[in-house]
Amino acid sequence: MSGGLAIDDAAWAGAWRPRAVADKALLGLGLMAVALVLPPWPGSVLVAVASLVVLLLGARVPAGLVARAMRAPLAFIVLSGLSVAVSLGAPQADPAYLRLGWLAVTHRGVAEAAGLTAHAVAGTLAVLVLAATTPVVDLLTALRRLRMPDACVEVASLTYRILFVLLEAQGQIREAQAGRLGYQGWRTSLRSAGMLTAAVLTRSWDRARRLEEGLAGRGYETALLTLPRTERHSPAFVAGTLLLLATVSASSWALGAR
């Protein structure tokens, strides 16, 4: 199963499922805002640690799931940091760790890359706090309560639901290809991957067209409403969230002032 849907499954079965979306959004988005406002050191490090503690100990999200969910974002973040660390045509007067012709790894570039990486990792972990504790369906319901236009909510909802169709189609086609030795050697694997992509895109287009025709046949005009779920607001949870954010901010200021 893909990392994104595994996160949604964990949110459905998680310990914080009954909590109100507003409470969890305050925690996740609050940590993300603090990560963006505070300096990389020590602010982003403290936010990352706090997010991991919340995920693993508070929400009891499996550590393996957190690691899998962070794998792809970390690869992108590291590549982005490397592109910042390497300067093109840096002046000779700038202190550098390494120079190769027009390329240089300068002290300033490394510092900026480290800060960017720290901010990105902390922000990603903060977003994961909300994603791993709140199912997409609850998020869409909350957006509708916030007066988000129905068209936007419905597009997001249909996109989410069609992911399951794409995953099912991808699994069936790849299993059939593997049964016909379609992944023996890199040339055959490349050809099979191209055919798999084309087949999945074609099937998704067909399913989307059939879904649109089915909705039109049922007189769909506004929104597909669902019964609201009873949420549990917790003043203690909100107070703990505000205390955590204040503690992270104060600790960052105190350590940074040394």
Side-chain angles (χ1 to χ4, degrees):
M1 180 176 293
S2 69
L5 293 182
I7 292 175
D8 202 46
D9 289 341
W12 279 100
W16 285 5
R17 170 77 171 97
R19 293 193 180 278
V21 175
D23 295 356
K24 293 179 285 189
L26 176 64
L27 176 58
L29 299 181
L31 285 171
M32 183 178 64
V34 170
L36 294 176
V37 172
L38 294 179
W41 172 258
S44 294
V45 176
L46 292 175
V47 171
V49 172
S51 299
L52 285 174
V53 170
V54 169
L55 284 168
L56 301 179
L57 301 182
R60 296 197 292 276
V61 179
L65 176 60
V66 175
R68 293 197 305 274
M70 288 295 297
R71 187 167 49 195
L74 275 178
F76 177 79
I77 291 170
V78 170
L79 289 176
S80 300
L82 291 176
S83 67
V84 174
V86 178
S87 302
L88 180 63
Q92 293 293 330
D94 290 353
Y97 294 103
L98 177 66
R99 288 186 181 275
L100 293 173
W102 288 92
L103 300 178
V105 181
T106 63
H107 292 190
R108 180 180 178 182
V110 171
E112 291 179 351
L116 174 66
T117 301
H119 275 306
V121 171
T124 304
L125 284 171
V127 172
L128 188 59
V129 170
L130 179 61
T133 57
T134 311
V136 173
V137 173
D138 290 352
L139 291 175
L140 295 176
T141 303
L143 290 176
R144 182 171 277 119
R145 286 200 299 265
L146 292 175
R147 305 299 182 185
M148 177 73 72
D150 286 338
C152 297
V153 176
E154 291 307 314
V155 168
S157 176
L158 293 176
T159 302
Y160 165 69
R161 286 174 169 80
I162 206 169
L163 285 176
F164 295 94
V165 177
L166 296 181
L167 284 175
E168 181 183 4
Q170 186 266 345
Q172 292 175 349
I173 297 172
R174 196 183 190 286
E175 183 178 357
Q177 288 178 331
R180 294 176 173 84
L181 304 180
Y183 291 92
Q184 300 296 318
W186 71 270
R187 289 181 180 274
T188 305
S189 299
L190 186 62
R191 183 171 62 253
S192 296
M195 295 174 62
L196 172 63
T197 303
V200 170
L201 290 177
T202 302
R203 186 168 298 189
S204 65
W205 182 272
D206 180 65
R207 290 293 183 91
R209 179 184 56 79
R210 289 160 57 187
L211 178 61
E212 181 183 11
E213 293 175 352
L215 292 174
R218 291 170 174 82
Y220 169 77
E221 294 181 355
T222 55
L224 294 174
L225 299 179
T226 58
L227 293 176
R229 182 180 62 86
T230 303
E231 296 183 339
R232 189 179 69 200
H233 292 277
S234 173
F237 185 87
V238 173
T241 297
L242 297 177
L243 178 61
L244 174 63
L245 298 178
T247 302
V248 170
S249 301
S251 300
S252 175
W253 179 83
L255 291 175
R258 291 183 179 179

